[in-house]
Amino acid sequence: MNMTIATPEITENGLGSLETEITRHLNFTLGHVAKQATQDYLYRAAAIAVRDRLVANWKATQKRIGDSQSRQVYYLSLEFLIGRSFTNAVANLGLDEEMSNALHQYGMALEELAEQEHDAGLGNGGLGRLAACFLDSCANLRLPVVGYGLRYEYGMFHQRIESGRQVEDPDHWLRDGNPWEIQRPEDSRRVKFYGRSELYYDADGVHHSRWVDTQDVLAVPHDMPIPGHKNGTVNTLRLWKSMATDEFDLGEFNAGGYAESVAAKTMAEQITMVLYPNDASENGKELRLKQQYFLVSASLQDVLAKWVDKNGRDLSKFGEKNCFQLNDTHPACAVPELMRILMDDYAMDWEDAWGITTRCMAYTNHTLLPEALERWSVSLFGRLLPRLTEIIFEINRRFLREVEFAFPKNPEIKAELSIIEEGHDPHIRMAYLAIVGSFSVNGVAQLHTELLKAGLFSNFNQMWPEKFNNKTNGVTQRRWLSHCNPGLRRLLNEAIGESWERDLSQIEALLPFAGDASFRQRWGEVKLANKKRLANFVQERTGIEFNTSAIFDVQVKRIHEYKRQLLNVLHAIHLYDRVRRGDKEGMVPRAILIGGKAAPGYHVAKVIVKLINNVAQIINNDEAVGDLIKLVFLPNYNVSAMEIICPGTELSEQISTAGKEASGTGNMKFMMNGALTIGTLDGANIEIREKAGPENFFLFGLDAQEVSKTRADYQPDQIVAGDPDIRRVMELLESGTFNIGEPGVFDILIGGLRNPADQWLTLADLRSFIEVQREVNEAYKDEENWNRMSIINSATSGHFSSDRTIGQYASEIWNVNPIE
Ligand code: 26Q
């Protein structure tokens, strides 16, 4: 190894060159012999060296924000699906070259070292990744936004496939330490649980409530730096870890002996132990509610304590100077919790407290599935959070008076709109609580917002139309184009300059190049290189070889019935059936990739995973098929996998039942990287098609209105009987071709497809899907035109940058400006 260690040169921030600093951290911080550094130690030393560079900017950013009189924003989320941080930080600091050179001294390439980092998988899917993209954009736009979340010891589970079935393993991502976090015990907060609420009179004879006999848990913050792109800004993501208080063992837990009471601390420490892996259904577990309240209470106390440090106990301007964005209803306890703190800890009266609360809370909804709306049983809630429950009942009492006034002729509406769903086991409707307590309620794509206003929340929209607004999602082009697709980045920079990295609307300048034959060819070469990279990745993970001249046809997302991975499999079976019948004239080879995790308790989703694997097994091993069709289920789809997948994808499958996918964000990542979309008129697909132009988008299936109408009289058996292609697909499925020796394993899926009450109308869209897939096949043969369409998709993706989305949150909801 070439070990010329540079002479220590001190830069203006007091740090030596990266090379010097890496060596120093290897020797002193990590106590290692630098010359024998393993990849793992080298990664850690390099990461700490980068973190040191961030710290100066981090402090300066905090100071600038503190000195400004700006409103501050807090993004409250149970999930931040960050992925890796190393390359992101290096690129944002403009250190790529210096880092590459420094690592070269150790015989290591930057990309290779970056592989050492474990993904921070602190989220399920779209909602969690959106939070991470938003933080990136806030830092890029220099906005005073802090993320608040939980520091789960175990993130999203690791998925393995065994005999075609999903197996979950815990993800202990912190095992080797986390170089990106700084623990700040001095900012710890105390969070109360259980106990009871009691009334008392103060010295002036005024009565108040207080929450007593509680079991308290400590919240210890761990801060992660969120760097902006070459702009000196470093914002903060503050993640709370739960710890037992010192007196914890003195409570009711010391009935046993000393050792038993120390061991009882685990109750407190469990709160942030693990991320719940459900992404679309409420589960009503007490631990989940503890997590939600723990996040909310610690974060609100944190903000208030800092306010009091700076401004004293005058809270009259608190509402005007602070804003909390609630990422779905998961942190909706923030509404009653802020009321509690203002009234019980700061002796404010109800009206003033309510005025402040409703000035600073804003709620984002991410779902159209009624079964996914969070509800908590009043009895569970009341036991865990008695004082909050009282406050929620009072919020509801006052709200229902307003309802009565707004709808005098409709007495039933009170029960419909009540925050408390009555019945023998009453429940709290968290979405209603969030709407009543917020000044803004937004959906995440145009269609989604319209459907919310007309459907789930129509009565609220009638009462308060001014609250409702749309913020179509976006993704950060810095991770999802610049970082993950260096080949395309270089081509773009050469053609149109670098400004798109900070402002994606500039990518429109690419449009004229769609007409340039030599550019199209280079575009195609970059795509081919990315397909090779993806094919290698697939081969390493699954052993299956993709033919790089095949259409790379990809569907990666959580497994859910409404996302219709099943429809995709039915199409694969149809292609297989055609090949077996010898009907393969003009068929272009296809490499179909499907990936995603099923919630461990979601039985049907797990059977879908099994079906994909079994069908793949048959198709991939049939000699008659050869290279014409390959089908792969890619295990453990996550952020880092997507960074390899989306640059190599040519066809992006966005095939949900119309009216069910709130937005989708994978669709945007694929578009930026030049994939064409095959999709329904659902979520942000509609806006993608509008921007790209209908001629550059493969549309199929029923729209949301037609879906509603079709449900009334849906007869899937007739569809099967009347369509020979579909009949053969169902025959293959029903004859057990894909489950030899495993009788009945797919009955639940077959029964669903043939059920007139099938919510997802899979067979209703299959014919149209097959037709449009044929158009894809034909279009792909015209390589020039395919590349032209691909360029147009990238060139018109500017709207789907999270910078645009965050710009709209800042001006239309938060009322904040960049800190200069
Ligand atoms: C709720 C209660 C208990 C346990 C877990 C949950 C839970 C956790 C995560 C419920 C839902 C989620 C995640 C939802 C989600 O990711 N929704 C997606 O949000 C994206 C960003 O807005 C949209 O693009 C997708 O359309 C939407 O499905």
Side-chain angles (χ1 to χ4, degrees), residues 673-684:
N673 286 277
L676 305 197
T677 305
I678 181 164
T680 49
L681 286 176
D682 201 14

Side-chain angles (χ1 to χ4, degrees), residues 66-81:
D67 292 347
S68 81
Q69 293 305 305
S70 169
R71 195 179 199 193
Q72 304 239 35
V73 179
Y74 308 96
Y75 199 80
L76 300 190
S77 178
L78 271 284
E79 308 190 6
F80 287 91
L81 190 38

